[in-house]
């Protein structure tokens, strides 16, 4: 999946919703023509793969595509599909139903095979011991992640890649971090949540479902770049519901635009993805400077509030956390009762200290179980984004 998101391999990208298209340079001399109709859940690719949707069609949906006029080959494909869809005879309807059922059955079989392979892989790892992982060659990791992608469970592939990165970084707590990830994969085998396996839901489908209207404060942000795809994640707090949601945008070319204006309070309706705290934007009514955001009185209160999030998604690794009137004590932020959490020494912390002059401030950040990444502060009720 990750190689198919390399910008240099794609050209002629565009969208005229609900249709997406692009040319993918594979091993042959002629680029593959890839086209996806999000509304109909249909895709077309000139690659020789017998899987549907193929890897290129799946990868295309992960890119941030510019609005454009469809080229001739896309118009021809959509016209042929429209002609077929006009056939409303019982026979044609039955054929389409059978085709969808066959596609769903094929993917279910592939995913089941992938989960069986994951169980075997976990047994191999636990039998050899976590200490054996640093000695595993890169080809061993790559072969398994490729197998998971072929089995159409890219979420598992991403989780194994994360374990590989933890092992490669080493550090004093790498064994406990890896054990935690392996436990999460073992639970994944039993529960098999579709969102964590990597089953994608088109944004248009999400928007067609019920939404939550609120005044959302885009408080925390994390930008990542794996060399192929840039991603921006926002943690937004709902003033009326008290709910945290996550807005995610990807881009293969240039920096992605955040879903909501960051650091502002937006009146908007958002639509939740199934089984996830991720949301798609419905209607945005307007944005303005945020009113004061209440922060929990202590780190203990704030940590206790994470229980519903953990119960809903035990695989989650980053949590929004806040506390009122904290001070920097060494490498930690201490609350008024003296309890402290380690804080990441980065530009966010430097900016917070520069803005507060060492005085107490309300803090919000992303907690990964080890250290807090400071993202926003407030002094006298005035919110300042620092990262």
């Amino acid at each position: 999946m990750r190689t198919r998101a390399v910008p240099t391999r794609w050209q002629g990208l565009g969208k005229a919703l609900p249709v997406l298209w692009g040319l993918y340079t594979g091993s042959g001399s002629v680029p593959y023509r890839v086209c996806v109709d999000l509304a109909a859940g249909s895709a077309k690719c000139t690659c020789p793969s017998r899987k549907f949707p193929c890897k290129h069609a799946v990868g295309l949906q992960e890119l941030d595509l510019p609005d454009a006029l469809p080229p001739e080959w896309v118009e021809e494909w959509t016209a042929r599909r429209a002609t077929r869809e006009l056939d409303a005879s019982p026979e044609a309807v039955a054929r389409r139903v059978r085709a969808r059922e066959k596609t769903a059955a094929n993917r279910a079989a592939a995913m089941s095979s992938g989960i069986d392979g994951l169980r075997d892989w976990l047994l191999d790892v636990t039998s050899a011991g976590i200490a054996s992982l640093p000695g595993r060659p890169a080809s061993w990791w790559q072969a398994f992640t490729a197998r998971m992608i072929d089995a159409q469970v890219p979420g598992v592939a991403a989780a194994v890649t994360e374990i590989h990165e933890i092992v490669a970084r080493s550090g004093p707590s790498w064994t406990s971090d890896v054990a935690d990830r392996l436990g999460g994969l073992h639970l994944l085998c039993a529960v098999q949540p579709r969102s964590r396996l990597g089953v994608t839901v088109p944004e248009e489908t999400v928007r067609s479902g019920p939404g939550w209207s609120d005044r959302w404060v885009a408080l925390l942000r994390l930008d990542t770049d794996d060399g192929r795809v840039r991603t921006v994640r926002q943690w937004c707090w709902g003033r009326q519901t008290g709910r945290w949601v996550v807005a995610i945008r990807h881009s293969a070319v240039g920096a992605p635009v955040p879903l909501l204006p960051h650091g502002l309070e937006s009146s908007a309706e958002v639509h939740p993805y199934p089984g996830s705290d991720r949301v798609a934007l419905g209607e945005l009514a307007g944005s303005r400077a945020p009113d004061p955001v209440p922060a929990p009185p202590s780190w203990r209160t704030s940590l206790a509030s994470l229980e519903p999030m953990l119960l809903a998604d035990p695989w989650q690794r980053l949590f929004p956390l806040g506390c009122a009137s904290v001070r920097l004590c060494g490498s930690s932020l201490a609350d008024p009762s003296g309890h402290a959490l380690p804080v990441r020494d980065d530009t966010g912390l430097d900016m917070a200290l520069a803005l507060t002059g060492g005085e107490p401030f309300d803090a919000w950040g992303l907690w990964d179980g080890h250290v807090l990444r400071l993202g926003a502060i407030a002094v006298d009720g005035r919110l300042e984004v620092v990262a």
Side-chain angles (χ1 to χ4, degrees), residues 310-326:
L310 280 167
L311 290 174
D313 185 359
W315 298 274
Q316 192 168 342
R317 300 297 175 190
L318 286 175
F319 301 91
L321 210 61
C323 185
S325 301
V326 300

Side-chain angles (χ1 to χ4, degrees), residues 137-152:
S139 58
W140 181 79
W141 297 94
Q142 293 166 358
F144 184 72
T145 55
R147 179 182 175 188
M148 292 298 99
I149 290 173
D150 288 341
Q152 301 187 52

Side-chain angles (χ1 to χ4, degrees), residues 4 9-13 21-35 44-49 54-57 60 73:
R4 284 179 295 286
R9 293 199 175 188
W10 287 98
Q11 54 184 306
L13 292 166
W21 64 85
L23 301 174
Y24 181 83
T25 303
S27 56
S29 58
V30 179
Y32 302 140
R33 292 181 173 183
V34 191
C35 194
K44 175 69 175 179
C45 182
T46 57
C47 74
S49 174
C54 70
K55 302 174 185 179
H56 312 105
L60 179 67
W73 62 272

Side-chain angles (χ1 to χ4, degrees), residues 99-180:
R100 287 194 293 267
E101 290 176 346
K102 182 178 179 181
T103 298
N106 288 341
R107 174 153 199 187
M111 293 174 64
S112 178
S113 175
I115 295 299
D116 289 341
L118 175 60
R119 291 191 180 98
D120 293 340
W121 185 83
L122 289 171
L123 181 61
D124 175 32
V125 171
T126 53
S127 297
I130 292 176
S132 68
L133 290 178
R136 300 280 190 172
S139 58
W140 181 79
W141 297 94
Q142 293 166 358
F144 184 72
T145 55
R147 179 182 175 188
M148 292 298 99
I149 290 173
D150 288 341
Q152 301 187 52
V153 283
V156 174
V160 173
T161 298
E162 183 183 6
I163 293 175
H164 186 197
E165 291 171 351
I166 293 172
V167 173
R169 286 197 305 266
S170 187
S173 63
W174 79 267
T175 52
S176 59
D177 290 342
V178 168
D180 177 53

Side-chain angles (χ1 to χ4, degrees), residues 241-254:
T241 62
R243 179 193 299 271
W244 285 95
V245 297
V246 182
I248 304 176
R249 281 280 177 85
H250 303 284
S251 176
V253 182

